[in-house]
Amino acid sequence: MGRKNKKYVKTLHQQAYETLKSMQAFGESKKEAMKNGTSSTKIFSFSTYNTYWKHIKYFIRWVQEYDPTCTTLKKARKYVPVWLRIRSTQTTAEGNLLSAWTIQTEAAALNKLYGIKPDDPNRFQPPKRMRQNIKRSRTSVKRDLHFSLTNNDVFIKFCQGTGLRRMGIQNLHGKDLFSSKYIAKELLRLTSLPPSKISTEDFRWLQLYKDTQLFVNPTPEYFIYVKEKGGRERLAPVIGINANQIVERIKRTALNEKVWLHVPKNADIHSYRSDYANTLYKLYARPLTEIPYDKINRGSGKKYQSDVYFCRKDEAGKKLDRHAMLLCSKALGHNRIDVVANNYLRGL
């Protein structure tokens, strides 16, 4: 009754929260949304939603201090490029400028909130991300002081042999271990079915099983089913000198129980994924001299090796086996080999 005949005005924080929340599409297919043109108004990953909301709150708090008279989300839009330019000049506690990755994330969050399209002339252009500026998992940080390598040796070896993200480790159950023999048997069964008999679930598993067939010479004995980062699924090979130890731990876990009840919060998971990528690459990479000259350059008419990847910028001159990079990409849950080259492969 107290609000009768009174106009209730939502705060900027409430307006932003409701707008972003309306974009939640957890569990929906991003591919389908891209096909029907609705992906720009949706957020498919819970972690992406949380990240965007965190950075949007920074922007909202700044607007409220900078212009107290700005009370609507629509009016606050004009301050987006101003805020992002300010962020580009701000420094961390150590005196370093905020990374290009941070600025790009903040720009992406605000572009999503306001539906700012790539061809918008007023869209803020964040600084480019350069490999040589990557700080993550490259140097010691404060949290390393609170993480014992000795006490967590088994956990580290497990991560280095599976390449799972933190979410993947937290959600890993005893039932998620698949032997290559079982996969081969299921693949044969599914491929022998007539198309009319293949269900949506069968088709999903068929695609996952087919990807494992790329890992040959050698063929891993076991794969782990992983669902993480926006609901993406994959079967990641268990590799390395500790593969048997990893498999035994999963086998000893009841089917519906978690393999790891506690995941150390200070563990540098990204670094272990990099170790996994390097091991996997070395396992499948061919000597560059053995990669065939299988394509013809239209300009010169000369043959070239399409499976040789040429690194760029600070890595210019380095050559890698494109097929081995593709395997690393699939095992890590990425879709592009340049992500593997720029963020995981080191010292090759």
Side-chain angles (χ1 to χ4, degrees), residues 224-275:
I224 290 177
Y225 169 74
V226 191
K227 186 175 182 180
E228 56 186 22
K229 198 170 185 180
R232 292 180 187 172
E233 297 175 294
R234 70 180 188 277
L235 286 169
V238 180
I239 60 170
I241 59 176
N242 300 300
N244 291 335
Q245 177 183 329
I246 293 168
V247 169
E248 283 304 310
R249 182 182 181 98
I250 302 176
K251 284 183 175 180
R252 290 197 306 267
T253 305
L255 297 181
N256 292 314
E257 289 186 3
K258 290 188 175 183
V259 177
W260 291 95
L261 298 178
H262 170 69
V263 178
K265 65 178 182 179
N266 290 316
D268 191 352
I269 305 294
H270 184 79
S271 174
Y272 310 145
R273 278 168 57 79
S274 177
D275 295 336

Side-chain angles (χ1 to χ4, degrees), residues 6-8 12 19 29 74 88 94 108 112 115 137 140 149-150 186 194 229 250 265 270 272 293 307 312 322:
K6 291 183 180 180
K7 188 176 180 182
Y8 175 64
L12 269 179
T19 300
S29 171
K74 183 178 180 180
S88 298
E94 292 76 24
K112 177 65 73 172
S137 300
S140 298
L149 298 179
T150 303
E186 282 296 289
K229 198 170 185 180
I250 302 176
K265 65 178 182 179
H270 184 79
Y272 310 145
Y293 284 80
D307 257 0
R312 299 170 180 82
R322 189 182 292 271

Side-chain angles (χ1 to χ4, degrees), residues 55-325:
H55 290 291
I56 287 170
K57 284 189 288 187
Y58 295 158
F59 170 69
I60 294 300
R61 284 199 291 266
W62 175 80
V63 170
Q64 290 173 327
E65 293 178 3
Y66 183 77
D67 183 2
T69 64
C70 183
T71 57
T72 67
L73 205 58
K74 183 178 180 180
K75 290 181 179 179
R77 175 172 176 164
K78 64 184 177 183
Y79 293 124
V80 169
V82 179
W83 164 246
L84 292 174
R85 282 196 292 270
I86 290 173
R87 291 291 278 170
S88 298
T89 62
Q90 289 182 342
T91 57
T92 63
E94 292 76 24
N96 301 316
L97 287 172
L98 294 179
S99 73
W101 282 262
T102 298
I103 304 303
Q104 287 212 6
T105 300
E106 298 209 337
L110 293 171
N111 290 337
K112 177 65 73 172
L113 178 70
Y114 283 108
I116 303 174
K117 298 181 179 180
D119 58 354
D120 190 317
N122 296 319
R123 182 183 172 110
F124 179 80
Q125 298 302 321
K128 291 185 178 180
R129 298 178 292 188
M130 306 293 286
R131 178 190 174 99
Q132 60 266 34
N133 294 329
I134 297 177
K135 298 289 192 299
R136 184 184 183 187
S137 300
R138 299 302 197 270
T139 57
S140 298
V141 293
K142 192 176 293 185
R143 71 176 183 182
D144 292 339
L145 300 175
H146 306 286
F147 183 75
S148 170
L149 298 179
T150 303
N151 294 342
N152 293 285
D153 181 64
V154 174
F155 175 79
I156 293 172
K157 289 176 179 176
F158 188 95
C159 295
Q160 291 172 329
T162 60
L164 303 185
R165 294 183 176 89
R166 183 176 295 275
M167 180 187 296
I169 301 170
Q170 291 171 335
N171 296 331
L172 184 65
H173 292 76
K175 63 184 178 181
D176 295 327
L177 183 68
F178 289 70
S179 70
S180 57
K181 291 181 179 179
Y182 173 83
I183 291 173
K185 182 180 177 180
E186 282 296 289
L187 192 56
L188 180 61
R189 181 183 69 84
L190 292 173
T191 52
S192 64
L193 292 175
S196 60
K197 297 291 184 179
I198 298 180
S199 65
T200 302
E201 184 73 3
D202 287 336
F203 183 77
R204 180 173 67 86
W205 280 106
L206 183 60
Q207 300 307 307
L208 290 172
Y209 293 149
K210 282 184 176 180
D211 279 346
T212 65
Q213 303 307 292
L214 296 172
F215 298 90
V216 293
N217 299 324
T219 299
E221 289 188 52
Y222 288 92
F223 291 81
I224 290 177
Y225 169 74
V226 191
K227 186 175 182 180
E228 56 186 22
K229 198 170 185 180
R232 292 180 187 172
E233 297 175 294
R234 70 180 188 277
L235 286 169
V238 180
I239 60 170
I241 59 176
N242 300 300
N244 291 335
Q245 177 183 329
I246 293 168
V247 169
E248 283 304 310
R249 182 182 181 98
I250 302 176
K251 284 183 175 180
R252 290 197 306 267
T253 305
L255 297 181
N256 292 314
E257 289 186 3
K258 290 188 175 183
V259 177
W260 291 95
L261 298 178
H262 170 69
V263 178
K265 65 178 182 179
N266 290 316
D268 191 352
I269 305 294
H270 184 79
S271 174
Y272 310 145
R273 278 168 57 79
S274 177
D275 295 336
Y276 175 79
N278 277 267
T279 301
L280 194 66
Y281 177 84
K282 292 174 182 177
L283 192 62
Y284 291 101
R286 297 162 290 179
L288 297 181
T289 54
E290 294 181 9
I291 297 177
Y293 284 80
D294 57 340
K295 293 291 179 68
I296 297 177
N297 186 293
R298 292 182 180 179
S300 65
K302 296 181 178 180
K303 288 187 176 182
Y304 68 95
Q305 300 164 298
S306 63
D307 257 0
V308 172
Y309 178 89
F310 290 82
C311 297
R312 299 170 180 82
K313 298 179 181 178
D314 64 308
E315 294 272 296
K318 179 188 289 187
K319 301 176 184 178
L320 299 171
D321 183 342
R322 189 182 292 271
H323 178 68
M325 293 173 68

